[in-house]
Amino acid sequence: MTVDDDPGVSRSVARDLRRRYGHSYRIVRADTAVAGMESVRELRLRGDDVAAILADYRMPQMNGVEFLEQAMDLYPYARRVLLTAYADTDAAIQAINVVDLDHYMLKPWDPPEEKFYPVLDALLEAWHRAERRESDELRVVGARWSARSYKIRDFLSRNQVPYRWVLADDPEGAQLLAAAGEECEISPAKLPLVITSDGTTLTAPTTAELAGAVGLSTAPATDFYDLIVIGGGPGGLGAAVYGASEGLRTVMVEQHASGGQAGQSSRIENYLGFPDGVSGSQLADRARRQALKFGAELLTARTVTSLEVKGQARVVGFADGSSIAAHTVILATGVSYRRLAAPGLDDFVGRGTYYGAAVTEAPECRDREVYIVGAANSAGQGAVYLSGYASKVHLIVRSDGLEKSMSHYLIEQISNISNIEVHTETEVVGAEGDDHLERLTLKGPDGERTVGAEWLFVFIGAEPLTDWLGDTIERDAKGFVLTGPDLTSAESRPRNWPLRREPYHLETNVPGVFAAGDVRADSIKRVASAVGEGAMAVALVHRYLEKA
């Protein structure tokens, strides 16, 4: 669908669309925003689907951003493009956060073969992938303050599986529970209920059960590979893309969802090649698709519990007792947010307290006050994102300012958003509530005070996910993996590992096992550097295989 009040531009857009896509799509054109919304409603009532909506920014009755915002309510998965003049570029960039704009396009776009069709090709391809999952039929019935319900929703969202969320105490939720054979009385132990597209019901499923039900790959295709990548963050995805593209039989194993900690970022604005910013989930989805394109195998909801050396093989064990092996392994398990040590807070994890962006909760925070703990970029990105929903965002910072830990561009953004308030030299020292978080105790320069709070998002430091490695891989005192020059003396290595040349910069104390990204000691904690290390580790894998 294309909407533009300029008849000449409107005809031009429709002409270009029909020339390229007329054989596969019906092109709907509207000359006013009001007529466009009438067409959108009519299409919805008829049960038609809309792949993409292109709206001009300057229209008299409502501008393009307002039009796309209303259209989103009826077609949330349609790709959204704003047509704009150069003078309106700033408004287009602001619209990215308002309507999750997929692209904005400057007029004119001649020639369309270079400036128009490539953009639409990519957006339509992404739409087709989403629609194949029959997003309107997967339903999750749960309780508002259920930690398990939140975990299920977070897993689906981070794995790009669309779903519909229904509260158990709503009429529709009660009907679904009754139809599924559940008792009329709502029992937290029975929730959430997941209903798949074919009518299969899963009661409080594990992540592995849920992954299998929605079509995510959980079982390896074979038992031996050239390369096993453990962890699906930027470093792991980078390694999977480069490993598979260079002909290595590659499998990537991820416990939760592709993207890792970066995948939870609401918007990354300093990543090379994305001048308008990109959400962590979008970046992760693109990388995941790229890895699959080159033939990498991606396993989800698999927990790695061990790494052993057996001759030339490196054997990776899983929690269910199974294992796979490979010539080489890249450790890219990343890090997790540290827990906030405040009395009572652990009782409300998933029930008002969330570690990371938890974008699934953002709509629930509309017109409410939220609290964020942290002073690094992830906390700043979360504050900016949630400010679009919450009436007020309180950023709790233990130090005396943001300058030491947050990028300058984020500090400037925060200072220009009126509903974000930064509380320096302040920390959370207590939490209270009944079935969910209701109050926080804050300690600041003026002493302690208690505030009403139902949402708390925590972004404080990071801990490496390496406990499962045991004594196999050398780590520093904080648990980060040591590589290259950072390794201890050769005498500390087990006797059955031969001494040889100085290990490569990303190689661990075990030959053929490398580390990339945040899990590596002294690494630069940036998305770009993690991707670069993943690619570099693959190059070192090739060298190792040549000499092995």
Side-chain angles (χ1 to χ4, degrees):
M1 163 167 279
T2 173
V3 183
D4 197 308
D5 68 318
D6 185 321
V9 175
S10 180
R11 286 192 296 270
S12 176
V13 176
R15 181 193 66 236
D16 287 343
L17 289 173
R18 290 192 181 98
R19 183 188 305 164
R20 177 84 164 200
Y21 308 105
H23 63 287
S24 301
Y25 299 86
R26 182 156 58 94
I27 311 302
V28 178
R29 178 169 69 93
D31 291 328
T32 68
V34 172
M37 283 309 305
E38 290 177 355
S39 296
V40 170
R41 294 188 186 99
E42 181 180 348
L43 291 167
R44 187 61 177 167
L45 288 173
R46 289 208 311 247
D48 292 338
D49 214 339
V50 176
I53 302 175
L54 294 80
D56 183 57
Y57 175 67
R58 294 200 177 208
M59 293 188 290
Q61 294 150 322
M62 69 176 78
N63 65 39
V65 176
E66 295 167 338
F67 178 87
L68 291 172
E69 192 171 15
Q70 290 190 27
M72 280 175 64
D73 294 334
L74 298 174
Y75 287 105
Y77 303 114
R79 302 298 154 168
R80 295 172 287 279
V81 179
L82 191 68
L83 305 177
T84 179
Y86 183 80
D88 299 320
T89 300
D90 288 341
I93 293 174
Q94 293 174 7
I96 291 173
N97 290 326
V98 176
V99 296
D100 196 19
L101 196 67
D102 291 296
H103 202 86
Y104 73 86
M105 191 171 296
L106 295 177
K107 300 184 292 186
W109 48 77
D110 290 327
E113 288 77 12
E114 294 181 11
K115 300 181 179 180
F116 190 60
Y117 295 146
V119 172
L120 266 294
D121 287 346
L123 295 180
L124 293 174
E125 182 185 359
W127 176 80
H128 271 293
R129 282 192 303 273
E131 289 305 304
R132 288 198 183 101
R133 291 177 177 173
E134 301 179 347
S135 58
D136 57 330
E137 294 186 358
L138 181 65
R139 288 158 290 178
V140 179
V141 184
R144 174 67 194 90
W145 297 112
S146 162
R148 184 60 194 163
S149 293
Y150 162 71
K151 188 173 182 179
I152 291 292
R153 293 163 59 208
D154 184 62
F155 178 84
L156 292 172
S157 296
R158 292 181 60 190
N159 280 286
Q160 305 289 315
V161 180
Y163 65 93
R164 186 153 58 88
W165 167 241
V166 183
L167 288 172
D169 52 5
D170 283 350
E172 182 184 2
Q175 292 171 4
L176 290 172
L177 288 174
E182 301 292 333
E183 298 176 4
C184 294
E185 182 180 353
I186 304 300
S187 170
K190 294 179 178 292
L191 297 176
L193 174 71
V194 177
I195 306 171
T196 66
S197 58
D198 62 1
T200 300
T201 58
L202 304 171
T203 304
T206 64
T207 52
E209 291 170 339
L210 184 60
V214 299
L216 297 175
S217 179
T218 59
T222 185
D223 57 2
F224 198 90
Y225 297 85
D226 293 320
L227 170 63
I228 298 173
V229 181
I230 304 176
L237 286 167
V241 168
Y242 281 93
S245 68
E246 295 177 13
L248 297 176
R249 291 172 298 166
T250 302
V251 59
M252 188 187 82
V253 183
E254 169 56 43
Q255 184 175 4
H256 299 296
S258 298
Q261 196 178 71
Q264 296 178 275
S265 296
S266 54
R267 185 152 298 275
I268 303 169
E269 297 191 60
N270 59 351
Y271 189 70
L272 184 67
F274 293 88
D276 305 322
V278 61
S279 73
S281 62
Q282 288 173 325
L283 188 63
D285 182 54
R286 294 183 182 190
R288 181 187 61 80
R289 290 189 277 110
Q290 199 171 14
L292 291 171
K293 167 189 171 183
F294 288 121
E297 192 178 331
L298 308 185
L299 304 183
T300 306
R302 296 303 299 264
T303 301
V304 176
T305 57
S306 64
L307 173 62
E308 295 181 83
V309 177
K310 294 186 178 180
Q312 294 299 314
R314 278 72 182 119
V315 181
V316 171
F318 297 118
D320 63 359
S322 64
S323 64
I324 54 177
H327 294 299
T328 58
V329 172
I330 295 177
L331 303 174
T333 51
V335 295
S336 62
Y337 291 110
R338 287 203 304 265
R339 289 298 179 101
L340 187 60
L345 204 59
D346 282 347
D347 298 334
F348 303 115
V349 174
R351 299 187 296 127
T353 299
Y354 307 97
Y355 287 85
V359 294
T360 56
E361 295 301 302
E364 303 293 337
C365 300
R366 192 178 299 278
D367 301 324
R368 304 291 184 90
E369 294 192 17
V370 303
Y371 288 78
I372 295 177
V373 177
N377 281 3
S378 54
Q381 291 162 354
V384 172
Y385 178 73
L386 289 169
S387 68
Y389 295 89
S391 60
K392 190 159 192 175
V393 176
H394 299 272
L395 186 57
I396 308 301
V397 179
R398 188 169 57 179
S399 64
D400 58 0
L402 299 172
E403 290 74 16
K404 295 179 182 178
S405 53
M406 190 177 293
S407 294
H408 179 68
Y409 80 91
L410 271 174
I411 296 176
E412 283 194 331
Q413 282 189 25
I414 289 172
S415 65
N416 291 325
I417 299 176
S418 60
N419 64 334
I420 297 181
E421 182 177 354
V422 180
H423 304 267
T424 57
E425 299 181 311
T426 304
E427 55 186 319
V428 175
V429 295
E432 297 176 322
D434 293 327
D435 65 335
H436 67 280
L437 177 67
E438 296 179 83
R439 293 173 298 279
L440 289 173
T441 301
L442 306 179
K443 182 178 181 181
D446 299 325
E448 293 188 2
R449 60 191 176 98
T450 299
V451 297
E454 291 186 312
W455 281 277
L456 174 69
F457 300 88
V458 182
F459 303 83
I460 53 165
E463 295 177 332
L465 305 175
T466 57
D467 288 346
W468 59 276
L469 288 169
D471 297 329
T472 304
I473 301 295
E474 290 189 21
R475 293 168 287 158
D476 66 12
K478 295 181 179 179
F480 291 94
V481 175
L482 295 170
T483 60
D486 293 329
L487 287 168
T488 57
S489 63
E491 286 74 14
S492 69
R493 301 182 187 181
R495 293 180 180 178
N496 59 328
W497 287 333
L499 300 179
R500 57 190 183 89
R501 47 109 186 109
E502 182 70 19
Y504 298 121
H505 184 62
L506 300 182
E507 193 173 27
T508 69
N509 60 297
V510 179
V513 178
F514 303 83
D518 290 357
V519 74
R520 192 176 65 81
D522 297 325
S523 63
I524 304 298
K525 304 299 188 278
R526 288 288 186 271
V527 175
S529 62
V531 173
E533 288 193 2
M536 185 185 301
V538 171
L540 300 181
V541 163
H542 278 291
R543 292 187 190 178
Y544 171 81
L545 291 175
E546 290 172 359
K547 297 179 180 180

